[in-house]
Amino acid sequence: MRTTSARKLIGGAQLATSTVEGVALSTIVLQATVEVGLPESTVGMILAAGAASAMLLALPLGHLADRWGLGRATALFAVVGASALVGYAVMGSPAGFGVAAIAFAVAQSSSAAARQALAVVGAPPQDRLVIRATMHTLLNVGIGVGTVIGAILAATGLGPNVRVAYGVGAMVMAATAAVALALPRRPHRPTRSTGSPVATAWRDPRFALASGLAAVIQLTMPVLAVILPLWLIHRTAAPMWLPGVALAVNTILVIAFQRPTAARVATPQATSRAAVAAAVGLAVAGMLLAASGAGTSPGVVVAIVVAGIAALTLGEVCGGIATWRVALDDVPAEAEGRYQAAFAMSTGLARITGPALALPLVMTLGPAGWLIITTVMALACLGIAGLARSQSVVRRRIERDAIPELVRPATPASLTTRPAHHRDSDRCAA
């Protein structure tokens, strides 16, 4: 099987799995609270525990993927995810829901990291960023499609309809496990490590700093999924359908521009410019979203929010691509799994801190909260720009130091070993 064919299969698995995830994300809270009767606070705590578990287990499971093989690890995580969906379908108690939710969160986070690593295995370094952008685009498409399916299921009735959807989703994820096992295996020689899996990834200072900044930049996710909907409903004159439109606008823009943008960010200088553009976009988004609270006309609020979402998406796309370039460009091939898993921890951290810290800040301070959050995110983008510039300086220095050795003319050994008077006699004889 050719590499391009294998990559298409991985992309198909990414699309299918993220569609199932979108269905689950858009229905599970309603199913647990309305049909099963679990308290909202209990559901929130269980989902937070799932996100925290996924973050804490990311590196050990990434290390396992590197040692065991990315294809087999991807299949294992898909099977765990399928089992969790079966648990969703039969859940009837808080304990059952808790086990299923934590298993699903861990499986989805780990399988996404493994698929990202699997997709770039064997690809030239200059192509990896575009491949990662393509995988992220497929993720967005799948979640968007799954969310629409979930909304239709919720509108036509929860209960049996959603349980059937979870069963179908489990079969889809089992099929993706079979696809992962069918992929050709590459010779794998894990490197010896003197430290733990955690130390292996995090002892790279540039990677660690870039991943920390990525957690701040990825607050765009809880902003879109949690903070903005509550802000629009409770603090603005926006119509009830605006949160859904805002998410749709973001999804469409990401799908349209992420891959072309990644293709243009091919050098450290371009990476720095992309990060600066992201900082500007996030700053503008903060001002627009803050201003939405002052609008009294629904039409004005809609216009302001849509413009703010466009600016926020600019920050999300350019900031994400710049961060991937800085953090993951120089990852050793034999450590792709653990580095991808370590980088995925930034996503989990953003999903936890967004509702826990950013949401109370916005809902308490109002417009000032928006300005504080987006300013912090913009500063994180500028930090990525600084890392990219330092990377450019280092590479230019290496190239400059290598030039004299490459262009210096070779001196014949006879001229460096023969005495001076011999050279003079040769010249006279000539």
Side-chain angles (χ1 to χ4, degrees):
M1 186 184 299
R2 295 186 306 170
T3 301
T4 52
S5 300
R7 197 165 292 130
K8 289 178 180 178
L9 288 175
I10 298 167
Q14 177 88 330
L15 180 62
T17 305
S18 58
T19 301
V20 173
E21 182 177 7
V23 173
L25 291 176
S26 60
T27 58
I28 193 59
V29 172
L30 292 174
Q31 182 76 357
T33 55
V34 176
E35 293 295 323
V36 183
L38 300 182
E40 294 180 3
S41 58
T42 301
V43 172
M45 289 174 59
I46 290 174
L47 293 178
S53 300
M55 185 180 69
L56 293 175
L57 293 174
L59 275 173
L61 292 177
H63 183 66
L64 171 67
D66 280 329
R67 294 186 63 85
W68 201 33
L70 292 172
R72 287 189 290 181
T74 302
L76 172 65
F77 300 146
V79 169
V80 173
S83 302
L85 285 170
V86 173
Y88 277 161
V90 301
M91 67 175 174
S93 66
F97 174 64
V99 171
I102 291 173
F104 188 73
V106 172
Q108 284 301 93
S109 176
S110 300
S111 61
R115 286 193 302 271
Q116 286 276 359
L118 198 58
V120 300
V121 167
Q126 65 271 17
D127 293 341
R128 291 178 183 175
L129 185 63
V130 174
I131 294 170
R132 290 190 174 101
T134 302
M135 293 289 287
H136 197 265
T137 299
L138 292 171
L139 177 70
N140 277 283
V141 172
I143 290 179
V145 172
T147 301
V148 171
I149 296 173
I152 294 172
L153 290 171
T156 57
L158 297 169
N161 291 341
V162 175
R163 293 181 188 275
V164 169
Y166 294 155
V168 173
M171 291 188 287
V172 170
M173 295 189 73
T176 65
V179 168
L181 288 176
L183 294 173
R185 297 183 186 178
R186 295 180 177 273
H188 184 68
R189 297 178 181 177
T191 56
R192 294 182 179 272
S193 176
T194 58
S196 67
V198 175
T200 301
W202 291 114
R203 65 187 175 188
D204 180 344
R206 187 163 64 90
F207 172 82
L209 180 55
S211 297
L213 295 173
V216 179
I217 297 170
Q218 290 182 90
L219 286 173
T220 53
M221 293 185 300
V223 162
L224 288 163
V226 180
I227 302 172
L228 183 62
L230 292 175
W231 167 262
L232 293 177
I233 292 171
H234 295 291
R235 297 297 182 88
T236 73
M240 291 295 293
W241 47 261
L242 184 56
V245 170
L247 184 59
V249 169
N250 169 262
T251 302
I252 292 170
L253 292 176
V254 169
I255 292 170
F257 293 108
Q258 189 162 58
R259 195 175 187 281
T261 303
R264 290 194 294 268
V265 181
T267 64
Q269 294 86 349
T271 303
S272 180
R273 290 193 296 269
V276 172
V280 173
L282 291 170
V284 172
M287 291 185 285
L288 290 170
L289 295 177
S292 66
T296 57
S297 167
V300 172
V301 174
V302 169
I304 293 174
V305 169
V306 170
I309 291 300
L312 187 76
T313 306
L314 172 65
E316 177 187 358
V317 170
C318 291
I321 288 170
T323 305
W324 298 339
R325 176 69 77 184
V326 170
L328 300 172
D329 249 14
D330 300 324
V331 172
E334 68 276 4
E336 275 282 353
R338 76 196 73 171
Y339 270 82
Q340 286 284 356
F343 190 75
M345 293 177 71
S346 62
T347 303
L349 186 60
R351 287 176 173 170
I352 294 171
T353 58
L357 299 178
L359 176 60
L361 188 66
V362 169
M363 300 307 289
T364 301
L365 299 181
W370 279 116
L371 295 178
I372 292 171
I373 291 173
T374 52
T375 298
V376 172
M377 294 165 68
L379 290 174
C381 289
L382 294 179
I384 292 292
L387 288 176
R389 282 195 294 269
S390 66
Q391 182 183 23
S392 176
V393 170
V394 170
R395 289 184 180 179
R396 284 201 303 267
R397 185 178 300 153
I398 292 174
E399 293 171 357
R400 182 189 62 204
D401 292 344
I403 288 174
E405 297 297 329
L406 295 174
V407 303
R408 183 182 298 124
T411 304
S414 59
L415 296 183
T416 60
T417 57
R418 295 170 65 188
H421 67 276
H422 284 182
R423 292 197 300 271
D424 292 340
S425 62
D426 291 343
R427 185 170 58 249
C428 293

